[in-house]
Amino acid sequence: MTADRLTILHVYPRQMGVSGDRGNVVALVRRAAAADIATEVVEYAPGAALPTTADVVVIGNGPLSAMRSLGADVPRIGAALRDFAAAGVPVVAVGGGFDLATNEVVPNEGGAVTGLGVFDARAVRGAERRVNYFVLETRYPLLDGASTRLAGFEDHAARIELADGVTPFADVVSGGGNQAGTPVEGAVSGASFGTHTQGPLLPLNPQLTDGVLAAATRRLGRDYAPDAERTATIDRYAREARATIDRYVDKAFKRIA
């Protein structure tokens, strides 16, 4: 954070941003503004110099072909992103970005793709495809009194294998999840989380956006307090969208052959 400005680092926005993932960045910017926190969004492209400081890191969704196209750049920046996460910088990794943020992505065919290693896990492709509305109870720390119920959409064919001791991001209320045999989803590491929940995730779930911003500002010695009056309209839109998901969660997107 420089001169009271929160830096949001958006990693690979062109390659890993196929599901409206810029909406997650926009949600962080607008939610921070409602708490009188200025932001700067820095986009990182392959081969560029990675910023030495960041306050939030966002990695969006993308296909395996995009991950392969990144080549040697992923291991080149992996250590720096792991250092960010270890220092308490929230890394938000969604969809294929979560796969890429694990230690490796194991495809159906061809060699494994080296991941960023932010989460001690691996993503194994070839699982039964999950295409569902998604309702979860998150384990990610939120502001006091905030609802832990999240809603979104999942569309993936990956199985996440967590290392021993890694905390899942959420318990699945309705939907498939990404861990075989257990009704849990995603991973949490300190202030960072990875998930296959899309939607985009943060605009649909403002309380999660608040949790990320609270973690980002807390490590800098600053309080985070969103203004309820200034967020009332977007909170209402998000609440109505989540209510629609709750209403149709068991009726749509049955198994695709």
Side-chain angles (χ1 to χ4, degrees):
M1 189 171 182
T2 304
D4 293 327
R5 186 179 297 273
L6 203 70
T7 299
I8 300 169
L9 175 59
H10 192 179
V11 176
Y12 304 138
R14 291 178 62 85
Q15 294 83 6
M16 307 296 292
V18 301
S19 301
D21 296 301
R22 288 183 187 272
N24 291 322
V25 175
V26 171
L28 289 164
V29 169
R30 294 186 176 176
R31 201 80 180 174
D36 293 320
I37 297 172
T39 54
E40 176 186 17
V41 177
V42 178
E43 296 188 349
Y44 171 77
L50 188 76
T52 57
T53 61
D55 301 304
V56 182
V57 178
V58 177
I59 311 169
N61 187 33
L64 182 63
S65 59
M67 298 180 207
R68 290 196 185 282
S69 76
L70 295 169
D73 198 72
V74 169
R76 186 176 74 87
I77 68 169
L81 295 187
R82 293 192 295 273
D83 287 346
F84 282 150
V89 173
V91 177
V92 177
V94 178
F98 174 36
D99 293 351
L100 191 63
T102 67
N103 296 325
E104 65 174 356
V105 183
V106 182
N108 294 337
E109 299 179 356
V113 175
T114 299
L116 295 162
V118 174
F119 303 100
D120 193 4
R122 69 174 190 161
V124 181
R125 297 298 182 96
E128 177 185 355
R129 188 156 203 89
R130 308 287 196 179
V131 186
N132 302 291
Y133 285 127
F134 214 15
V135 179
L136 308 168
E137 288 285 344
T138 187
R139 302 188 192 185
Y140 187 78
L142 304 178
L143 296 179
D144 290 344
S147 173
T148 57
R149 179 68 62 97
L150 306 179
F153 186 81
E154 63 172 337
D155 180 3
H156 64 92
R159 182 180 76 254
I160 299 298
E161 297 178 352
L162 300 180
D164 291 344
V166 177
T167 300
F169 170 68
D171 298 285
V172 176
V173 176
S174 184
N178 57 22
Q179 291 165 45
T182 55
V184 295
E185 206 277 341
V188 172
S189 179
S192 300
F193 70 83
T195 178
H196 280 117
T197 316
Q198 301 172 43
L201 173 64
L202 295 185
L204 270 174
N205 301 280
Q207 75 275 32
L208 183 58
T209 312
D210 287 341
V212 171
L213 289 170
T217 53
R218 187 183 306 116
R219 66 179 288 272
L220 302 170
R222 179 169 177 175
D223 292 331
Y224 172 75
D227 187 321
E229 290 187 5
R230 294 164 67 181
T231 64
T233 299
I234 57 175
D235 286 351
R236 176 170 56 83
Y237 288 154
R239 188 165 54 249
E240 291 172 354
R242 294 195 306 273
T244 299
I245 291 173
D246 282 338
R247 189 160 57 248
Y248 293 109
V249 69
D250 293 323
K251 299 180 181 179
F253 306 110
K254 299 303 181 185
R255 182 179 303 175
I256 294 177

